[in-house]
Amino acid sequence: MFYRLSGVYHTNYISDSRIYKVPADRNLALALLVLGVAAPFIAPSLYVNSYMLPWLIWTSAALGLNLVTGWAGQLHLGYAAVMAVGAYSAIHAARFGVPWEFALIIGGLSASVIGSLFAFAALRAKGLYLALTTLAMQFIMDWVLTHSPAISGGSHASLQAPTLKLLGQEITSDTGLYYVALAWCLLVTIFMLNLKRTGLGRALVAVREKDYAAAILGVHSFYYKIVAFAMSSFIGGVSGALLVATFFFLAAPEQFSVAVSIQALAMVIVGGLGSIIGSYFGVALILLVPGLVNGVVVTASEQLGMQINVETLAHIPNAVYGALIVIILLIEPLGLGKLYGNIRDYLMVWPFDQLRK
Amino acid sequence: MKLLSRAALIHAIMFGMAMSIPATVMAKPFRIGVCYDLSKAYTFATPQVAQAAKDLAELVNRKGGIGGEQVEVIVRDHGNEPQRGVECYEQLSREGVFVFDTLSTPVSLAVLPRAMEDGRVLMQSLVGRGDAVDGTVFDWVYPIGPTYWGQAANDIAYIKQLHDGDLSNVKVGFVYFDYPFGQEPIEILKTLSKKEGFELLLYPVPLPGNDQSGVWSKVRRDKPDQIVVWMLGGAHVVASKEMKRNGIPMDKYISVNWLNEVDIANIGAKNAIGIKRGTNVVGGQDIPLYKEIMAELYDKGNGNGPIEKTQDVFYNTGLAMYSIMFEAARKAVELQGLPLTPDSYRAGLESLRDFDANGLMAPITVTAQDHGGGGATRIEMWDGAAWVPQTDWISEYSDQVWAVVKESSSKFGK
């Protein structure tokens, strides 16, 4: 009913390869877009600058990781390191006087170079071995950041980002920063939506499913793996740079530690491998739910007048959050994106499927 | 449908949280935002400090509050994640809180640019960037207490006392966690090594410090006269075992302030005899403020947590940190009256003169230039049952320390 298929006919290939084949999907996306654009005017500023902004930036990063892990099927445990390369090179470029537009691109390109350099060495290994090699990249990056004051910004290891300035405008307001994040996230999302229906996207999927079968079909799997690493590192690098430029305002090694890499991977897995809407959901769950649950538990205990030890109070949300992840993956191992897909499939023919029973 | 109801639920929660804001603003107590890591990396100290903050706030309230107003500490967990620390800051800041404490270096770093921009007071005793003591650059940040630079300099001053004022033939070992926390004092130690002529030997310990066998056998071969140690928690216990194995006497060990009674118990009270630590608070329970809290709260069964947690030097550290914050509020009310504002609170902080919370800690004097309060520490030694002070409150080599501070702070904002 909601995702009505009747009246949708594909009479040529162009219509068949549209991004939104069902009008309801397109309308939903448009409605969300309108909400996203209007958010600074309708949502309290707290939600805009401390929930939605990091959510959007992390979603772009998660989409980048999803490209290499979900599409090309290469497990990546060092994504935070890639983001760190992007962030630090963009900030250093900006501090050097390079305009932010170019600094972001420099960040993306250097992340791309380092990311694919490691991939180049790593791609002789597959599966878990590859994962461990990417983990090594993470540790090398951690070491570099904590041992080179020239990169990390002095003995405190904190590097201040210059004020973000795009197209000659200094961006300092919460609304402005939010729109920068929104624009980047949209750009990445549109890229990913289109990737699905290009030859490149199909080649990546072929490599994921079986790399030597792909090779037999004429898909150079080594080449496409490198391309996947390079593209995803570029997205990660720019996202890392924007994370610092719009949210943290200074870069510190802890923002890109191994724990963050694991979190990024968790976002992609909980969201659903190869799912775009799933990446949005996954990031929301991993990034925002701990804080929200924390707020809810604290408010609840205050309202109920319970005298709970602060330490216990801090651990309850962690337990709830852990349980949530387990429950979601038990209900739907393919992640939140698939969970949404299930609901969509159900509503597609609802309520007419009830008649058959 | 399922999706809709979930969205509705989330909205209900969000609006519920938003609605609860005006109610708390009405009551108008003086509130401190305590965004702590109570579940991840800093749990060796945060529960004790948070408990001290709550106990002290309750004591202040029982005695009539500050200028007739009640005080409140709002404790929230951020799990040592910068993103959640920022969220905590942003949320409480919108509720009208203007004094924050994070007790976590990554979160403090992440909150600092916002606090400076918004005009909120960021207290960051013992964590965060040390050059923030330079009040001329960091006008909203107050790292009251010693910086790691100042603390290391005081350790060297103590070693100089031990060696009758001559360090020229002395070897000082520095055992440290090989990341920014441990690396921070190296610069000042190198400067002082040039000035005083002692030989500095560096021993990096890879995180998390569970394996130190290579480090201490190297220490045994090098035979340093004194060993300054910049490690935390369980790493002290590992170090003590390795020292015993290598036949290095415990009294060479001078720890950073992060060595508490739990570590002593884990090392063994007997085995730990002779171990030293630098500190800016008095250890043990023989403190007027501590006794008052016991009499007023714990003896009546009104403590904010288990009594064992109060028998810990980090509890005293917490009492010291929050005594300063409440005293500053008192001064602010004296100077500019109610209601407290960020600016009047800052004036209150900067009018603290030789404040030692009735013998709880090193006296501090905060000025517009020095937001660290002087950075005095003393060395205490564990004698098997209690901590025995080895020096007065000292703050040595301040010229060298401030040179390092200025060198670092001058780069901020550029």
Side-chain angles (χ1 to χ4, degrees):
Chain A
M1 180 160 177
F2 295 105
Y3 296 88
R4 214 151 39 91
L5 290 173
S6 68
V8 180
Y9 304 110
H10 299 297
T11 51
N12 53 30
Y13 286 116
I14 294 172
S15 110
D16 189 43
S17 65
R18 263 196 247 154
I19 294 180
Y20 299 114
K21 296 184 185 71
V22 182
D25 280 336
R26 189 194 54 215
N27 297 342
L28 188 65
L30 280 176
L32 287 175
L33 180 62
V34 170
L35 269 183
V37 172
F41 305 103
I42 51 175
S45 62
L46 171 69
Y47 295 113
V48 174
N49 84 343
S50 37
Y51 296 102
M52 294 188 68
L53 190 150
W55 178 46
L56 288 173
I57 294 179
W58 272 106
T59 303
S60 357
L63 284 170
L65 180 58
N66 217 337
L67 174 63
V68 77
T69 303
W71 263 269
Q74 309 300 314
L75 208 52
H76 199 324
L77 285 173
Y79 202 64
V82 173
M83 292 175 70
V85 174
Y88 278 94
S89 30
I91 294 170
H92 276 295
R95 284 171 71 98
F96 190 66
V98 179
W100 265 107
E101 297 85 353
F102 296 107
L104 289 175
I105 293 173
I106 290 174
L109 287 179
S110 51
S112 189
V113 168
I114 304 259
S116 39
L117 208 73
F118 264 88
F120 207 71
L123 282 177
R124 293 179 63 86
K126 281 181 194 168
L128 287 177
Y129 301 96
L130 172 68
L132 280 182
T133 327
T134 53
L135 192 62
M137 166 164 76
Q138 175 72 51
F139 284 127
I140 291 172
M141 204 51 67
D142 280 359
W143 192 88
V144 168
L145 285 185
T146 51
H147 286 79
S148 45
I151 296 177
S152 65
S155 57
H156 303 290
S158 72
L159 183 70
Q160 221 194 351
T163 312
L164 185 63
K165 207 173 173 185
L166 292 174
L167 306 174
Q169 292 289 316
E170 282 213 348
I171 300 169
T172 47
S173 69
D174 284 351
T175 315
L177 293 171
Y178 169 79
Y179 280 129
V180 172
L182 182 67
W184 172 243
C185 190
L186 274 180
L187 207 66
V188 175
T189 308
I190 291 169
F191 172 75
M192 296 297 286
L193 282 170
N194 281 294
L195 185 68
K196 269 185 182 173
R197 37 180 214 164
T198 59
L200 174 63
R202 284 189 291 273
L204 292 180
V205 171
V207 169
R208 171 186 73 195
E209 293 305 327
K210 207 62 160 175
D211 51 0
Y212 51 81
I216 293 167
L217 291 171
V219 174
H220 193 334
S221 67
F222 190 77
Y223 168 76
Y224 281 106
K225 282 180 190 173
I226 294 278
V227 168
F229 269 99
M231 285 194 302
S232 103
S233 302
F234 184 86
I235 296 174
V238 177
S239 304
L242 279 177
L243 184 67
V244 175
T246 63
F247 186 68
F248 285 131
F249 307 120
L250 53 75
E254 290 89 353
Q255 292 158 5
F256 304 103
S257 66
V258 62
V260 179
S261 268
I262 306 288
Q263 267 191 332
L265 193 65
M267 289 168 183
V268 170
I269 290 174
V270 173
L273 290 169
S275 163
I276 291 170
I277 192 150
S279 297
Y280 280 83
F281 290 146
V283 173
L285 186 80
I286 301 290
L287 190 72
L288 304 183
V289 166
L292 284 176
V293 173
N294 202 10
V296 170
V297 171
V298 168
T299 321
S301 75
E302 273 168 14
Q303 300 289 328
L304 299 174
M306 287 189 291
Q307 282 293 324
I308 306 180
N309 186 299
V310 285
E311 222 181 332
T312 321
L313 206 56
H315 284 97
I316 294 172
N318 279 348
V320 173
Y321 163 65
L324 263 180
I325 294 180
V326 173
I327 291 169
I328 285 166
L329 289 180
L330 274 179
I331 296 174
E332 185 50 73
L334 294 178
L336 289 163
K338 179 73 175 131
L339 209 59
Y340 166 76
N342 292 345
I343 296 170
R344 179 178 173 275
D345 288 349
Y346 176 79
L347 291 177
M348 223 167 217
V349 281
W350 185 87
F352 304 112
D353 61 333
Q354 308 292 328
L355 299 176
R356 264 183 294 149
K357 284 169 193 165
Chain B
M1 279 289 118
K2 231 189 226 171
L3 192 74
L4 272 177
S5 66
R6 185 176 302 164
L9 182 72
I10 290 168
H11 276 107
I13 291 165
M14 281 184 171
F15 282 111
M17 281 156 69
M19 290 304 282
S20 65
I21 295 163
T24 38
V25 172
M26 297 273 282
K28 261 181 117 190
F30 169 62
R31 300 185 301 164
I32 300 176
V34 183
C35 301
Y36 273 12
D37 166 18
L38 292 158
S39 53
K40 303 268 165 62
Y42 284 82
T43 46
F44 65 92
T46 42
Q48 294 92 306
V49 175
Q51 190 171 331
K54 289 201 140 191
D55 286 343
L56 192 62
E58 201 161 330
L59 186 72
V60 168
N61 283 340
R62 285 182 183 217
K63 288 160 83 180
I66 292 172
E69 276 191 355
Q70 297 282 290
V71 299
E72 190 187 343
V73 290
I74 308 170
V75 184
R76 292 281 160 83
D77 174 47
H78 58 56
N80 205 27
E81 288 172 30
Q83 192 266 330
R84 284 179 59 191
V86 168
E87 176 191 319
C88 178
Y89 165 81
E90 288 284 346
Q91 192 179 350
L92 294 179
S93 175
R94 278 173 173 72
E95 294 177 20
V97 178
F98 55 82
V99 182
F100 289 89
D101 178 26
T102 66
L103 203 70
S104 147
T105 294
V107 172
S108 192
L109 286 177
V111 169
L112 186 138
R114 286 169 191 259
M116 297 264 292
E117 178 79 28
D118 304 346
R120 302 278 184 270
V121 178
L122 178 62
M123 306 297 296
Q124 52 160 32
S125 299
L126 304 166
V127 296
R129 49 189 305 159
D131 59 355
V133 294
D134 184 355
T136 54
V137 177
F138 297 90
D139 38 5
W140 290 99
V141 188
Y142 290 84
I144 297 180
T147 60
Y148 290 139
W149 296 320
Q151 216 184 119
N154 293 345
D155 289 349
I156 296 298
Y158 166 66
I159 293 171
K160 194 176 173 183
Q161 279 180 26
L162 286 183
H163 291 270
D164 301 324
D166 179 23
L167 287 175
S168 51
N169 290 316
V170 175
K171 283 190 205 171
V172 177
F174 182 58
V175 179
Y176 61 100
F177 272 161
D178 199 10
Y179 79 118
F181 156 74
Q183 292 160 351
E184 216 175 305
I186 293 176
E187 210 175 330
I188 186 81
L189 287 174
K190 279 188 176 156
T191 313
L192 293 179
S193 146
K194 262 190 217 120
K195 181 180 157 62
E196 296 286 353
F198 63 87
E199 190 185 342
L200 178 66
L201 305 161
L202 298 178
Y203 305 100
V205 173
L207 284 177
N210 293 338
D211 183 10
Q212 302 177 17
S213 46
V215 171
W216 290 100
S217 55
K218 195 151 177 288
V219 173
R220 185 195 65 216
R221 286 195 294 276
D222 291 348
K223 297 193 185 62
D225 297 285
Q226 302 292 335
I227 306 159
V228 179
V229 181
W230 240 250
M231 297 196 292
L232 306 166
H236 288 303
V237 185
V238 178
S240 73
K241 278 188 193 138
E242 293 296 337
M243 285 173 78
K244 188 152 203 184
R245 183 173 297 155
N246 286 293
I248 303 167
M250 209 66 205
D251 58 8
K252 286 188 175 184
Y253 196 95
I254 306 172
S255 165
V256 65
N257 62 295
W258 300 118
L259 170 74
N260 71 344
E261 281 64 14
V262 176
D263 300 326
I264 294 293
N266 287 342
I267 295 171
K270 277 266 158 52
N271 290 332
I273 291 176
I275 201 167
K276 290 162 192 160
R277 72 174 173 210
T279 178
N280 64 326
V281 295
V282 176
Q285 282 72 49
D286 192 19
I287 300 162
L289 182 60
Y290 182 88
K291 286 178 183 159
E292 199 178 346
I293 286 177
M294 284 302 125
E296 282 289 321
L297 302 177
Y298 286 83
D299 292 351
K300 296 175 186 164
N302 290 328
N304 284 292
I307 196 162
E308 299 78 49
K309 284 241 159 81
T310 69
Q311 289 149 2
D312 187 313
V313 68
F314 298 153
Y315 183 82
N316 298 5
T317 305
L319 287 183
M321 285 161 60
Y322 285 84
S323 298
I324 294 167
M325 289 189 220
F326 293 138
E327 182 64 20
R330 237 173 248 129
K331 287 267 183 195
V333 173
E334 253 174 48
L335 287 172
Q336 305 191 0
L338 291 166
L340 281 165
T341 63
D343 283 309
S344 76
Y345 187 75
R346 231 157 44 120
L349 276 169
E350 286 173 8
S351 63
L352 292 174
R353 296 283 173 274
D354 286 319
F355 175 65
D356 70 348
N358 201 4
L360 167 66
M361 59 178 183
I364 55 143
T365 299
V366 184
T367 63
Q369 285 77 40
D370 179 8
H371 281 188
T377 61
R378 74 179 184 192
I379 313 294
E380 295 181 340
M381 191 184 78
W382 177 254
D383 71 352
W387 290 96
V388 185
Q390 304 291 299
T391 62
D392 289 331
W393 299 114
I394 51 172
S395 177
E396 300 287 329
Y397 300 114
S398 43
D399 290 349
Q400 282 78 11
V401 173
W402 272 95
V404 178
V405 167
K406 287 282 181 193
E407 201 266 330
S408 174
S409 68
S410 63
K411 288 181 196 150
F412 184 81
K414 283 190 187 137

